[in-house]
Amino acid sequence: MKEVTKNIIKKDAFGLMLGKPVYTNDLAPKDSLIVKILRSPHAFAKIKHIDISEAEKIEGIECILTYKDVPKNPITRAGQGHPEPSPHDWYILDEYVRYVGDEVAIVAGKNENAVTKALKKIKVEYEIFEPVLDFEKAEEHSSIIHPEKEAHSMFEIGFNAPKNIAASYEMQIGDIEEELKKCEVVVKERFYTQAQAHVAFEPHSATSYIDMHGRLVIISSTQVPFHVRRIISEAFDIPIRNIRVIKPRIGGGFGGKQAVHGEPFVAAVTLKTGKPAKLIYTRQEVFESTYRRHCMRFDVTLGATKDGKLKVIDMEGLSDTGAYGEHALTTFMVAGSKTLPLYNKVNAVRFKGKVVYTNTVPAGAYRGYGAIQANFALESALDILSQKLGIDPVELRKKNMMNEGETSPIFKIMGEGREGAEMIIKSCKLNECIEEGMKLIGWKEKYPRIKVSETKVRGVGMAIAMQGSGIANIDMASAILKLNDDGSFNLLIGATDLGTGSDTILAQMAAEILNVSTENIIVYSSDTDLTPFDTGAYASSTTYVSGHAVQLAAEKMKKLIIKEGAKKLEIPEEKADFDGEFIYEKDGNKRVSLKELATVLYYTENQKQLVADASYVGKESPPPYMAGFAEVEVDIETGKVKLINYVGVVDCGVTINPNLAKVQIEGGIVQGIGMALFEDVKYTQNGKLLTNNLMNYKIPSRMDIGNIIVKFVESYEPSGPFGAKSVGEIGIDTPPAAIANAIYNAVGVRITQLPITPEKILNAIK
Amino acid sequence: MRIKLKVNNKTEEIDIEPHEILLDVLRKLGYYSVRRGCDTGMCGICTVLFDGKPIPSCSVFAARADGHEITTVEGLEDAKAFAKLLSEEGADQCGYCSPGLILNTVYLKKIGVKDLNKAKIKLIGNLCRCTGYESQHRAITKFLGVTK
């Protein structure tokens, strides 16, 4: 392969790094009204009265909107396919406020000063209710977070608002109780994972204006431009055709931007005033009023025979979706569907639970999307089982895990919000991942622990993980290739590059098929007017789903070139071929360069534009796999954990751009380390977020991560473009469990609640 | 009040409010490489060189910069050389934090830092959420000429 599998530099590298104006805030019209949001100081209240009269008098204020001024259409902000498996329980503005930071009023003015002053002058009288702050007490709580009659689900998702339940789910294969009776060893344990914040460094940003045709144009830092267009259309009752959403460069997303955030507020201002408007979230607003990861609790029961054959997995979960039910059902289902198939040899498996509303920051999509939460629980429980059995945890996994050529009934039963798709795993090199990881970490020499001093002990631990590649039968992508008159190509894609380099790898794929250099492919991504439909950059779908669409479009383009080339050469089509530079006669001497053909096609002979398009929807979602190994040093006097090494060995099929794939994994591992060790979310007693800045909410710095070693095993996924599977999310999944297991192996304490802070370790040691 | 700055060797005069922050004033002047990350001086994204030394521009009043020299990534000679090394490692990713990292790393080269661990400590305030740092360290190693 010529272009694919090469470390080609990202197309936007120098523009991004050398400071070109490319992000939403840089591109907002210079005369944009500044938009800010008055936010609720209460976790749960009803607005009795709002007085905006004093605020309106401030010079420079252009408009102040309250719930009385905007349509009350129940929507979900979740950027998912339609109909969404998330309840429609959110309004542009509502008379109820459901968390500290919820929107009360939209203020727009000519400058920031005026708007900030106006925010302080708005007088709101609230009827304050008792908030639901503890997700374990949400169900049947006397406070009902969504009492409004408008809230509804789009189809059956177990939505039960009067009980504060956003979604619920249950599946079972085999007879759990009967099978457990037959097991010689049983493990029962409860695990908790916290609400991680995304901390994409570009804050959520949106700007809007009315174009010359009277259409609403939104420029937004979003992972899902097409969903934004549809949701805004629903929220404001304006036809989709009258809205255009442009996605410029995005400063990181990680799932946090798989939703509408600022878009409805700038749109409301622009629709009201006819003027351009922009809303750039402050860091505090990003923490308090966008998305965070769903906290989850899992009760895990494992049953096995004495010789280490895993017979039963029973997982009962409770997930906290916060004030709105975005991604409630789907993150919960993914917790099951992206962990349970790992151990496909069991006799009985059950997965059930509820997703509850609380009066806290809404939860949403976040890299790992449920899988990381359940992976921590399941892979910690596996290690507990290995201790009970006296079997090396690596051996226990090898004995029970999925192998190439196998399947799991879970694939068909559990999709994302509905049934999944059956599949036989055609690429799974977990075994090789584990072998390589053991070598790189030095498992045999280091397991379980080495005492390095009187107070410091090093331990190693590991975990395995799987993810998916897009959502089967739901995620759809399309691509258009256009031949230019100099022989270069435009690739138009709806796929949304968030910084991952997807524009580049998709260009590499097109270049590979066309046998041209990647430089000859000029990519334009994500503008709902100009690029074809794509469900968006989430669920690890871009390489696999969008990549497939690009591959198909490029194959079509190649055929078109050969057809038109043959006409030009006056030979039958079957006798012509294309080598990337020339269209030539297979058994003769006639040839014409692509550049010349393109020029004559557009200016002189057989004049026509060559355009090829293709769409793709995945019929399955082949999982990438990973084995993660952690080596930690625990100070038994202080409980402090130092991460020495983290080894991640990954099977993501063929890596289209090995450098970019590696950085995706390294970045995922570091976010997983953050979730495992530091990232902690704290609220006041009244439900205000305390960890609302980077002083209080610690993400890993470059000194916190030890050495990260990433390797790929050779693998080929026949259903993927050029043998590729996804690589976006898998990296984040293993660190919580692998680090917890390493800490146990070092000092013999099992921390079941993330993050694993020094206090927790020290308390457990004592 | 009116202040005079030398930004990337170009003299700029601008009216500011007393409370205005250097970051905002630089953006008003069109230096879009200066990006806001955290508002609290914690992330290093808004770094500029102030009389040749790195500072977080979100935590400095613009008035303080009156008469001083500011360098942003647009005006930094070695920026492209380091950006090339970063891109060869795939360490650019979303790119939002790159200008701040580049300014700080070029400064480290200027003051002769050649030890990766020392560089890491100096760059501890340059946070990145995409890359996981390792790819940056591979590029920094090459750029500073670190001998391992």
Side-chain angles (χ1 to χ4, degrees):
Chain A
M1 289 193 260
K2 216 172 108 253
E3 297 297 309
V4 158
T5 73
K6 295 285 181 303
N7 289 324
I8 287 172
I9 287 172
K10 263 177 62 182
K11 283 187 166 283
D12 46 8
F14 293 98
L16 294 174
M17 287 193 288
L18 300 177
K20 289 277 177 287
V22 293
Y23 303 97
T24 299
N25 193 17
D26 310 336
L27 302 172
K30 296 296 161 263
D31 55 348
S32 290
L33 296 175
I34 303 296
V35 179
K36 284 184 184 290
I37 305 295
L38 179 70
R39 298 188 176 278
S40 169
H42 304 296
F44 192 23
K46 190 176 179 183
I47 299 166
K48 278 173 27 189
H49 185 69
I50 301 190
D51 179 2
I52 58 169
S53 56
E54 289 300 308
E56 277 181 321
K57 285 180 201 156
I58 291 167
E59 200 191 321
I61 291 300
E62 292 265 336
C63 92
I64 298 178
L65 303 170
T66 72
Y67 70 92
K68 293 170 196 157
D69 308 308
V70 289
K72 191 177 181 181
N73 294 333
I75 59 160
T76 175
R77 295 184 300 174
Q80 299 177 295
H82 184 78
E84 304 98 334
S86 296
H88 281 214
D89 58 6
W90 190 89
Y91 315 90
I92 303 164
L93 292 172
D94 191 12
E95 59 188 317
Y96 285 93
V97 284
R98 298 181 178 83
Y99 66 100
V100 176
D102 206 349
E103 293 87 12
V104 173
I106 307 166
V107 182
K110 286 189 177 129
N111 59 65
E112 196 155 337
N113 258 352
V115 179
T116 307
K117 270 187 205 158
L119 286 173
K120 289 179 189 152
K121 292 277 183 192
I122 298 174
K123 293 190 196 103
V124 191
E125 259 183 71
Y126 293 98
E127 182 186 354
I128 298 167
F129 307 123
E130 187 198 345
V132 183
L133 299 174
D134 180 347
F135 80 114
E136 293 180 282
K137 293 179 184 154
E139 190 183 354
E140 313 272 5
H141 196 285
S142 57
S143 291
I144 297 165
I145 298 170
H146 285 277
E148 73 281 10
K149 61 181 189 318
E150 296 90 346
H152 65 277
S153 61
M154 302 296 280
F155 51 89
E156 183 50 47
I157 59 167
F159 175 68
N160 189 349
K163 290 192 169 176
N164 287 330
I165 295 171
S168 46
Y169 181 77
E170 181 168 359
M171 65 75 70
Q172 182 170 341
I173 301 165
D175 189 327
I176 297 284
E177 279 71 27
E178 278 306 306
E179 290 296 332
L180 274 177
K181 279 182 206 158
K182 294 185 218 159
C183 291
E184 288 150 314
V185 182
V186 172
V187 165
K188 273 181 194 284
E189 189 60 68
R190 173 169 276 193
F191 299 91
Y192 290 89
T193 61
Q194 82 281 35
Q196 192 179 20
H198 303 75
V199 198
F201 270 114
E202 181 209 16
H204 298 65
S205 310
T207 183
S208 59
Y209 58 92
I210 302 284
D211 72 6
M212 62 181 276
H213 307 290
R215 296 165 74 235
L216 176 68
V217 182
I218 296 174
I219 304 175
S220 168
S221 179
T222 182
Q223 297 174 233
V224 286
F226 289 91
H227 294 327
V228 168
R229 182 175 64 166
R230 191 193 71 241
I231 295 167
I232 292 294
S233 150
E234 280 172 54
F236 289 93
D237 291 318
I238 43 179
I240 280 182
R241 69 173 172 275
N242 287 345
I243 305 166
R244 173 183 182 188
V245 177
I246 300 167
K247 175 228 62 125
R249 294 292 102 188
I250 305 298
F254 318 120
K257 293 171 181 169
Q258 191 197 333
V260 300
H261 289 289
E263 297 90 338
F265 310 122
V266 291
V269 170
T270 294
L271 291 169
K272 176 85 180 175
T273 61
K275 294 180 181 177
K278 78 168 176 180
L279 171 53
I280 312 297
Y281 280 57
T282 62
R283 183 56 54 189
Q284 183 180 337
E285 280 183 298
V286 172
F287 276 111
E288 290 183 351
S289 308
T290 62
Y291 272 175
R292 45 97 175 163
R293 190 188 289 290
H294 291 78
C295 334
M296 291 189 191
R297 182 190 79 194
F298 280 105
D299 289 304
V300 183
T301 307
L302 300 181
T305 55
K306 241 192 266 175
D307 60 349
K309 283 189 186 127
L310 190 60
K311 294 291 178 191
V312 178
I313 306 177
D314 184 15
M315 291 181 86
E316 182 169 356
L318 183 70
S319 170
D320 173 7
T321 189
Y324 299 96
E326 291 134 353
H327 302 268
L329 176 69
T330 39
T331 43
F332 188 67
M333 286 183 74
V334 166
S337 67
K338 305 283 188 262
T339 52
L340 298 171
L342 276 171
Y343 301 105
N344 60 340
K345 294 162 187 67
V346 292
N347 293 343
V349 53
R350 180 164 59 189
F351 185 85
K352 68 170 184 177
K354 290 165 186 162
V355 190
V356 291
Y357 286 115
T358 56
N359 293 111
T360 59
V361 175
Y366 190 161
R367 191 182 211 171
Y369 202 83
I372 181 173
Q373 290 99 316
N375 189 281
F376 170 64
L378 182 59
E379 287 294 279
S380 293
L382 240 305
D383 259 42
I384 298 173
L385 180 65
S386 80
Q387 296 300 325
K388 277 202 172 185
L389 290 165
I391 298 177
D392 184 307
V394 174
E395 294 311 311
L396 182 67
R397 284 180 177 80
K398 280 187 177 172
K399 200 172 249 194
N400 293 288
M401 72 191 189
M402 166 168 271
N403 294 299
E404 203 161 85
E406 295 178 357
T407 186
S408 161
I410 306 285
F411 291 138
K412 179 160 170 45
I413 297 169
M414 296 177 83
E416 289 196 34
R418 58 185 194 191
E419 267 193 16
E422 257 179 348
M423 64 180 157
I424 291 168
I425 296 300
K426 298 179 211 88
S427 61
C428 172
K429 301 280 183 259
L430 249 182
N431 228 324
E432 287 174 37
C433 291
I434 290 176
E435 292 296 332
E436 182 68 19
M438 284 172 78
K439 263 189 240 156
L440 290 169
I441 200 87
W443 184 265
K444 284 186 181 144
E445 304 85 66
K446 292 175 182 170
Y447 176 79
R449 78 186 66 84
I450 294 169
K451 200 168 174 188
V452 288
S453 75
E454 278 309 303
T455 58
K456 286 179 180 156
V457 192
R458 288 188 180 189
V460 288
M462 61 90 65
I464 56 172
M466 59 175 280
Q467 199 76 34
S469 299
I471 308 172
N473 300 319
I474 291 180
D475 280 349
M476 182 278 214
S478 45
I480 293 174
L481 265 167
K482 179 165 81 69
L483 175 68
N484 291 319
D485 49 354
D486 66 346
S488 66
F489 299 89
N490 284 125
L491 173 62
L492 305 175
I493 38 174
T496 313
D497 192 331
L498 316 171
T500 56
S502 67
D503 281 5
T504 308
I505 65 150
L506 294 174
Q508 284 177 260
M509 291 187 196
E512 181 72 35
I513 301 276
L514 292 164
N515 210 7
V516 301
S517 143
T518 300
E519 277 173 25
N520 279 357
I521 313 283
I522 302 135
V523 185
Y524 188 79
S525 64
S526 301
D527 175 332
T528 56
D529 268 13
L530 304 180
T531 61
F533 188 84
D534 189 297
T535 40
Y538 59 87
S540 292
S541 59
T542 306
T543 301
Y544 186 78
V545 183
S546 307
H548 227 124
V550 168
Q551 184 183 15
L552 295 173
E555 279 162 3
K556 265 194 193 173
M557 174 54 80
K558 191 174 172 183
K559 278 188 192 148
L560 286 176
I561 290 168
I562 291 171
K563 186 178 169 191
E564 293 305 320
K567 260 192 220 165
K568 164 83 183 150
L569 298 175
E570 296 174 327
I571 58 173
E573 211 177 306
E574 348 32 286
K575 293 204 169 162
D577 208 347
F578 174 54
D579 64 7
E581 195 178 355
F582 293 98
I583 299 94
Y584 61 93
E585 193 179 12
K586 280 187 217 164
D587 310 312
N589 298 321
K590 286 185 176 177
R591 65 176 201 175
V592 58
S593 73
L594 177 65
K595 190 173 180 308
E596 191 191 338
L597 175 69
T599 310
V600 298
L601 271 179
Y602 297 158
Y603 293 104
T604 47
E605 296 169 35
N606 303 319
Q607 283 162 283
K608 68 168 67 156
Q609 167 73 56
L610 295 198
V611 180
D613 74 291
S615 305
Y616 186 75
V617 57
K619 297 287 171 230
E620 51 190 86
S621 176
Y625 295 93
M626 174 167 165
F629 291 79
E631 181 181 3
V632 299
E633 184 177 286
V634 185
D635 184 328
I636 52 175
E637 280 187 320
T638 63
K640 190 176 162 48
V641 176
K642 190 174 159 194
L643 187 67
I644 307 295
N645 286 304
Y646 199 94
V647 170
V649 187
V650 178
D651 162 14
C652 64
V654 170
T655 49
I656 302 298
N657 185 319
N659 263 351
L660 296 178
K662 189 175 185 180
V663 177
Q664 279 291 100
I665 297 294
E666 288 171 346
I669 288 174
V670 169
Q671 283 183 7
I673 291 170
M675 177 149 164
L677 291 173
F678 332 95
E679 298 187 31
D680 208 351
V681 175
K682 289 180 180 139
Y683 290 91
T684 65
Q685 278 185 333
N686 300 323
K688 180 171 168 62
L689 188 68
L690 278 169
T691 44
N692 61 7
N693 58 48
L694 283 164
M695 292 195 212
N696 294 340
Y697 187 86
K698 294 287 180 203
I699 65 164
S701 81
R702 64 188 73 240
M703 293 304 289
D704 296 320
I705 54 170
N707 291 314
I708 294 173
I709 301 142
V710 170
K711 284 269 151 66
F712 295 97
V713 296
E714 252 184 63
S715 158
Y716 186 90
E717 170 54 41
S719 77
F722 306 97
K725 296 188 278 191
S726 82
V727 71
E729 292 179 280
I730 183 74
I732 202 171
D733 291 340
T734 58
I739 290 172
N741 292 339
I743 290 168
Y744 178 85
N745 290 337
V747 291
V749 299
R750 168 68 52 192
I751 308 299
T752 54
Q753 193 161 1
L754 295 180
I756 308 173
T757 57
E759 295 94 303
K760 286 178 193 165
I761 294 174
L762 204 56
N763 284 335
I765 290 175
K766 284 175 180 168
Chain B
M1 64 186 287
R2 194 159 181 82
I3 60 167
K4 207 184 216 182
L5 306 170
K6 202 175 221 183
V7 187
N8 301 335
N9 279 327
K10 184 183 163 202
T11 303
E12 301 268 15
E13 278 192 63
I14 184 169
D15 281 318
I16 61 157
E17 298 283 323
H19 61 262
E20 273 192 285
I21 297 295
L22 181 59
L23 162 65
D24 295 316
V25 170
L26 289 169
R27 287 190 64 86
K28 264 188 201 167
L29 289 167
Y31 300 96
Y32 289 111
S33 70
V34 192
R35 299 164 187 156
R36 174 179 264 110
C38 72
D39 307 307
T40 48
M42 298 297 290
C43 72
I45 285 172
C46 65
T47 301
V48 296
L49 300 181
F50 189 103
D51 293 336
K53 284 191 178 164
I55 53 143
S57 63
C58 76
S59 305
V60 175
F61 285 118
R64 260 197 62 202
D66 187 21
H68 289 272
E69 271 189 43
I70 304 292
T71 311
T72 70
V73 86
E74 291 104 326
L76 190 70
E77 253 177 45
D78 282 348
K80 196 155 188 198
F82 183 43
K84 184 167 179 287
L85 292 173
L86 284 168
S87 67
E88 283 167 1
E89 295 294 339
D92 35 339
Q93 291 273 307
C94 89
Y96 199 77
C97 71
S98 302
L101 176 73
I102 291 171
L103 281 154
N104 255 332
T105 311
V106 169
Y107 175 73
L108 293 187
K109 186 168 186 170
K110 198 179 136 199
I111 62 169
V113 173
K114 282 207 165 190
D115 175 288
L116 182 61
N117 218 37
K118 224 178 238 172
K120 281 192 198 176
I121 293 166
K122 296 260 186 201
L123 295 171
I124 198 166
N126 285 87
L127 297 177
C128 170
R129 192 61 157 170
C130 292
T131 64
Y133 303 112
E134 293 286 9
S135 54
Q136 293 179 353
H137 295 157
R138 292 191 283 274
I140 290 167
T141 303
K142 287 182 196 162
F143 184 67
L144 296 182
V146 171
T147 38
K148 278 188 180 168

